Amino acid sequence: YSWELVGRSKELEAMRRLVEEPGGRAVVLSGNGGGGKTRLLKAVCDAMSRDGRVFFLPRDVTVQPKDFEALGNDPKVLICDDAHDRDDLGQLAEYVADPSHQARLILSLRPYGRQRVDMQIRVLRSEDSLPITLPPLNKGESEQLARQALDQFGGDRCHAERLAAYTRDCPLATVIGAKVLATGVMDAQFLGDESQFRREFLCHIVSQTVSGVSSGLNEPSVKTVLAAIAMLQPIRDSDPELIEGLARLAHTSRHEVVQILKRLHDASVLYKRGYESRLIPDLMGDFLIEEQGVSAEEVFDHVPDRYAEQILLNQGRLDWRRSNGDTDRSQALDPLWSRLLKEFPVGQSYLRAAAAVAFYQPKQALAFAHRVIEKGQRDELLAQIARNASMGKGFDHMADACELLWRLGQ
C-alpha cells in the first residue's frame, strides 16, 4: 500500500467532508477485491490523522462495550476494513448514531456483503450514511499506475497501455501484472488475450509462491496446503488439530506443515492479524478456490468440524459471485450440504456453518433447517439461519424464513 495513490480524489474528498461537516455519520465504501479500497483507506487515514484521532478496527476482534468507553468523547473516526466479514456492526452503528460520541464510521466491503451490512447498520438513517461505490480507474489513471509499476520493477513502458486495459477494474492486478512482465518469466505475448493474461499471471503468482517456499519440502504438499488455506481462511495456524488435518490431506508430516506455514509467513504470503492469518493478495486466494487444486469436500473431510463454517462461507461467496447473486438453482455446494446432514443431531459447528452461509445460499440453508426440524431437533441457531436467509437475494425467501420460525415456535 506504499504506491502513490492514483485517481480516487473524488472519493477521498467525499470522506474528508464527512468528517469535517456536521450531520454525516458513516461512509459505506463498496468495491471488488483488489479494487483499491484498502489503499484508499490508508490515504484517508493519512489525511485525517493530522487533524483528529483515527482508529482502525482489528479484523479478528469483536467490539465490546468497554472498547467504546476507552475511546472517550473527543472527535474520532472509526475505520473498518472488510466489514462484510463482521457481525458486530450493529453495535458500531449505535455508538456512531449518538452525537455525544462525536464519532464517524467508515466501512469498506465487497459488493456481495452490502445488503448484510445495510441490515446491521439500519439504526443509521439513510441521510446519515454516504454510500460510495469504487469505480474502475479511468483509462488515463490505469495507464499512469501501470507506468509507475513498470518503472518500479524495471519493466518496459511499452506494455503499459495493454496492461492497463486488461486490469483497469483491479489496480492490484495492474501492479502484480507489471511485476510479472518485468521479471521476464511470463512472455509479453500473453498481452494479446485478456483472459489468458489474467490466468497466466495468477498461475505465475501461485507457482512463484510454491517454488519460493518448497526448498527441501515436498512441492505437491505445499500446493495442497496453499489451496486448503484458501478454502479455510482465516486460519489459526497454531491450531494442532488443523495442522494434523492438513498433514493428512497433503500426505505429509505435521512438522512439514508447520514448516510450510512458517515459510508462507516469512514470504509475506500468509499475513497474520491478531490470532488469525490469511493469504495475500486476496486475488491469489480467490484464484486458488476457483482453480480447486484440491476439492472443498476433501478439505472438509480432513479438518476439524469447527472449520466447516469457513469452508462453506468461502465457497458460498464464490458461488454467489459466479451466479450474480442468484444461487437458488446452484448445486455447487450440494456435496457440502449433504455432509452437514450426515449425522443427527446436527452438531453446533455444522449449524453455525449453515447460519454463516445462509445469506449467500438462502434456499439451500432453509431446506437444511427444515430437514433438521423434521428430525426432531430444535436449536436457536436455526432461528439465525432464518434471519440470515431472509436477508439474501432481495428478501425473496422472507416467507420461507418466517415459516421456519413458525415451526420452531410450535
Side-chain angles (χ1 to χ4, degrees):
Y1 305 119
S2 60
W3 294 92
E4 177 186 342
L5 184 66
V6 175
R8 311 308 190 199
S9 57
K10 179 181 176 181
E11 292 80 12
L12 186 59
E13 177 61 18
M15 293 185 186
R16 187 190 63 78
R17 285 201 309 271
L18 173 90
V19 175
E20 294 181 351
E21 297 177 3
R25 297 277 180 242
V27 169
V28 180
L29 176 66
S30 176
N32 293 324
K37 298 187 299 299
T38 304
R39 179 63 187 88
L40 179 57
L41 291 181
K42 181 180 183 299
V44 171
C45 186
D46 291 342
M48 295 177 180
S49 59
R50 295 189 293 268
D51 305 316
R53 297 189 303 159
V54 180
F55 298 91
F56 262 91
L57 303 181
R59 181 175 188 162
D60 60 337
V61 176
T62 300
V63 176
Q64 304 293 335
K66 59 181 175 57
D67 299 321
F68 294 125
E69 295 173 8
L71 294 175
N73 290 327
D74 293 329
K76 65 192 73 68
V77 180
L78 309 179
I79 298 181
C80 178
D81 201 4
D82 293 328
H84 52 269
D85 285 334
R86 301 189 73 107
D87 293 316
D88 57 355
L89 300 181
Q91 296 181 68
L92 287 170
E94 289 181 7
Y95 176 81
V96 170
D98 186 339
S100 68
H101 295 145
Q102 300 191 72
R104 300 292 186 268
L105 178 64
I106 298 177
L107 302 175
S108 169
L109 57 128
R110 292 194 181 189
Y112 60 71
R114 179 60 190 272
Q115 190 171 329
R116 183 173 180 230
V117 167
D118 285 345
M119 287 293 293
Q120 291 190 68
I121 65 169
R122 59 188 180 275
V123 67
L124 294 172
R125 299 174 302 171
S126 58
E127 56 265 35
D128 292 336
S129 178
L130 173 66
I132 297 177
T133 299
L134 206 58
L137 295 175
N138 64 39
K139 182 176 183 292
E141 292 166 344
S142 188
E143 290 180 6
Q144 179 185 342
L145 178 61
R147 287 192 295 270
Q148 181 189 156
L150 287 165
D151 288 347
Q152 176 70 28
F153 297 123
D156 191 333
R157 275 194 167 204
C158 72
H159 300 317
E161 184 176 355
R162 188 64 63 85
L163 174 62
Y166 286 174
T167 60
R168 192 161 65 89
D169 63 330
C170 184
L172 179 59
T174 306
V175 173
I176 295 173
K179 184 175 183 179
V180 171
L181 288 169
T183 59
V185 295
M186 190 177 101
D187 200 305
Q189 67 176 350
F190 290 119
L191 283 171
D193 180 85
E194 179 176 356
S195 60
Q196 187 179 16
F197 172 76
R198 279 180 175 262
R199 190 178 189 285
E200 283 297 324
F201 92 77
L202 285 168
C203 282
H204 171 73
I205 295 171
V206 173
S207 176
Q208 287 292 100
T209 299
V210 171
S211 63
V213 303
S214 292
S215 177
L217 301 175
N218 181 274
E219 188 167 307
S221 296
V222 174
K223 289 181 179 178
T224 299
V225 170
L226 192 63
I229 292 172
M231 296 182 191
L232 293 164
Q233 63 181 342
I235 64 168
R236 295 203 172 197
D237 45 13
S238 59
D239 181 353
E241 292 182 300
L242 174 63
I243 292 171
E244 173 66 31
L246 290 175
R248 287 187 285 109
L249 176 69
H251 305 291
T252 188
S253 67
R254 286 175 293 180
H255 173 73
E256 182 154 317
V257 170
V258 171
Q259 287 296 107
I260 292 170
L261 295 174
K262 182 180 184 302
R263 291 187 186 183
L264 289 173
H265 276 295
D266 291 344
S268 299
V269 173
L270 193 59
Y271 180 69
K272 194 163 191 173
R273 288 183 179 176
Y275 297 107
E276 297 182 326
S277 301
R278 63 170 55 242
L279 297 173
I280 55 172
D282 289 345
L283 284 175
M284 181 169 69
D286 293 345
F287 178 71
L288 284 165
I289 294 176
E290 291 190 30
E291 288 297 297
Q292 290 195 333
V294 60
S295 73
E297 297 84 67
E298 288 180 274
V299 176
F300 187 99
D301 292 340
H302 282 85
V303 299
D305 289 350
R306 60 182 174 275
Y307 285 93
E309 179 176 344
Q310 284 308 123
I311 296 173
L312 261 79
L313 199 50
N314 288 326
Q315 292 292 319
R317 288 169 177 162
L318 172 61
D319 189 41
W320 190 94
R321 293 198 298 272
R322 283 176 169 172
S323 306
N324 291 318
D326 185 359
T327 60
D328 282 1
R329 290 182 294 277
S330 173
Q331 298 178 343
L333 273 67
D334 284 2
L336 295 176
W337 283 113
S338 66
R339 279 164 168 76
L340 298 189
L341 290 168
K342 184 170 57 178
E343 295 180 358
F344 287 93
V346 177
Q348 291 289 296
S349 294
Y350 288 179
L351 290 172
R352 279 193 292 271
V357 79
F359 177 82
Y360 304 105
Q361 292 235 312
K363 181 179 179 180
Q364 295 87 337
L366 290 167
F368 165 85
H370 282 296
R371 179 67 173 152
V372 171
I373 291 175
E374 287 168 6
K375 288 289 186 176
Q377 186 175 348
R378 296 288 192 276
D379 194 288
E380 63 182 17
L381 284 169
L382 295 173
Q384 191 171 327
I385 291 174
R387 184 198 68 177
N388 292 348
S390 71
M391 294 188 290
K393 194 177 173 277
F395 304 104
D396 289 356
H397 296 277
M398 181 67 76
D400 194 12
C402 291
E403 181 186 345
L404 175 62
L405 291 174
W406 176 258
R407 292 185 70 184
L408 277 173
Q410 289 180 322

